[in-house]
Amino acid sequence: MLFSHKTVVIVAGPTGVGKTAVAIQLAKHFQTEIISADSRQCFKELNIGVARPSLNELNVVKHHFIATHSVQQEMTAAIFEKYALEKTTKLFEQHNTVMMVGGTGLYIKTFCEGLDMIPEIDPGIRQNIIGLYDENGIDWLQKQLQEKDPLFNATGEMQNPQRMMRALEIVESTGKSILSFHKGEIAKRDFNIIKIGIELPREELNQQINTRVGKMMEAGLLEEVVGLVHLKNLNALQTVGYAELFDHLDGNISLEEAIEKIKISTRQYAKRQLTWFRKDKAMQWFSPFQLKEIIEASTNLEA
């Protein structure tokens, strides 16, 4: 089925910048629904720490890929691609425009361009690597990749444990670098895609992030994390906002230190997100307050 007259408008940008509010306004304008492109908001056990849209926001506009999966389920860009393409096809039956919003760059890239086929990995290898990383930390991961995947070591994200563990499990399973599977072939989608980037001046974004972390703590983030202690070794919980508080609960750092670490890690994550999205030449950048201009850009396929 061809959807050449249909459009997906993607709202992307760093955490804390105000993407959700912009996407909801756009969805109301186009009278449509939203697909989340967030690798953490899809987990039903995670709420406060992933800044999941509020019940009021979810009631205003219908969202998809929010609290749809468990942290005990595997979640990958390939799984998201399949989910999002199927959901888009269904939504196009009733809407000419579909919104997508999120900060997970790989998910958005995969939705737009497809993903190179990588062989399935033995879950035992994955769990072994996760266990060894938990015991030995990022230094161990870096040394393993230096020895076993010099290509990834030279050009990959050598400060990102999730990417590093993925690279290590691939090379241990196949004997090949994960980068050898990246052929760069772009899938052709049968609908239009418009990309809207949301940004703020660095100091303003950092202040919003710091304020949001404080609000998360007031809303009960520590209590949420306490309720997840029995799951803390799962891959989905090796993430900002949860890892730091697990460290506090283990007695390694004070609560004040944990909160400060969350702020720092979140700011660093936002910086990495911006770096990723700025590489995309199709991204049109706006302040979250430029709603009129954003709507115009979202209806102009020549932009």
Side-chain angles (χ1 to χ4, degrees):
M1 187 179 297
L2 293 176
F3 296 107
S4 58
H5 61 299
K6 305 286 189 176
T7 301
V8 175
V9 178
I10 298 174
V11 177
T15 186
V17 79
K19 298 184 298 294
T20 297
V22 170
I24 287 174
Q25 289 301 314
L26 284 175
K28 288 167 66 177
H29 174 81
F30 289 111
Q31 297 184 313
T32 189
E33 301 177 18
I34 295 174
I35 299 173
S36 168
D38 189 296
S39 62
R40 305 191 309 161
Q41 291 182 358
C42 63
F43 294 124
K44 62 186 72 171
E45 296 89 348
L46 310 186
N47 184 8
I48 299 170
V50 298
R52 190 195 298 173
S54 67
L55 287 177
N56 181 56
E57 289 172 325
L58 295 174
N59 286 332
V60 169
V61 173
K62 189 168 184 179
H63 286 62
H64 304 275
F65 206 62
I66 295 283
T68 51
H69 295 72
S70 168
V71 292
Q72 300 187 64
Q73 293 176 269
E74 182 184 25
M75 182 50 59
T76 65
I79 293 172
F80 173 76
E81 178 190 21
K82 183 175 186 294
Y83 175 100
L85 288 174
E86 289 177 353
K87 186 63 65 176
T88 299
T89 298
K90 190 164 185 60
L91 290 174
F92 277 154
E93 294 175 4
Q94 296 180 317
H95 307 280
N96 286 326
T97 302
V98 171
M99 297 301 308
M100 178 175 285
V101 60
T104 303
L106 183 60
Y107 280 21
I108 291 172
K109 181 178 175 66
T110 300
F111 173 77
C112 295
E113 303 178 4
L115 193 67
D116 295 306
M117 291 301 296
I118 296 177
E120 288 191 19
I121 304 304
D122 181 347
I125 292 177
R126 176 175 295 121
Q127 289 306 315
N128 183 54
I129 289 173
I130 291 171
L132 288 170
Y133 166 64
D134 288 341
E135 290 177 21
N136 303 296
I138 194 169
D139 289 343
W140 173 82
L141 267 180
Q142 290 171 337
K143 288 176 183 176
Q144 290 292 306
L145 287 166
Q146 285 166 8
E147 294 173 8
K148 298 178 180 179
D149 190 346
L151 181 60
F152 185 88
N153 177 59
T155 61
E157 296 182 55
M158 289 295 286
Q159 295 295 327
N160 185 325
Q162 302 305 318
R163 298 278 186 270
M164 294 162 70
M165 284 190 280
R166 178 63 171 157
L168 186 55
E169 69 183 31
I170 293 295
V171 74
E172 288 196 356
S173 298
T174 68
K176 298 179 182 178
S177 171
I178 188 172
L179 298 180
S180 69
F181 293 97
H182 295 179
K183 301 181 183 66
E185 296 176 5
I186 297 177
K188 288 182 170 54
R189 303 305 188 200
D190 53 6
F191 48 84
N192 303 303
I193 296 174
I194 294 176
K195 298 177 182 178
I196 303 294
I198 306 299
E199 63 179 349
L200 284 170
R202 175 69 60 81
E203 288 186 9
E204 191 174 339
L205 178 60
N206 287 345
Q207 184 56 52
Q208 286 201 182
I209 288 171
N210 292 342
T211 299
R212 188 165 76 161
V213 171
K215 289 181 178 178
M216 285 178 174
M217 294 305 299
E218 293 172 5
L221 178 56
L222 181 59
E223 291 75 13
E224 179 172 297
V225 173
V226 167
L228 295 168
V229 166
H230 63 295
L231 300 171
K232 70 177 184 178
N233 291 324
L234 292 177
N235 199 35
L237 287 164
Q238 311 302 309
T239 187
V240 176
Y242 295 85
E244 296 86 355
L245 289 175
F246 286 138
D247 209 19
H248 161 65
L249 293 171
D250 286 340
N252 298 323
I253 56 175
S254 69
L255 181 58
E256 291 73 20
E257 288 173 317
I259 294 170
E260 187 58 31
K261 282 192 170 187
I262 294 172
K263 292 177 181 178
I264 292 170
S265 296
T266 305
R267 294 196 300 266
Q268 291 172 338
Y269 177 54
K271 185 177 179 180
R272 291 196 299 272
Q273 288 174 299
L274 270 172
T275 298
W276 175 288
F277 289 125
R278 287 200 182 284
K279 292 177 182 177
D280 189 340
K281 301 305 181 186
M283 196 72 69
Q284 304 173 69
W285 290 95
F286 299 91
S287 154
F289 310 110
Q290 293 179 286
L291 189 61
K292 180 182 176 183
E293 292 85 351
I294 292 171
I295 289 173
E296 289 176 356
S298 299
T299 56
N300 181 10
L301 290 174
E302 302 303 319

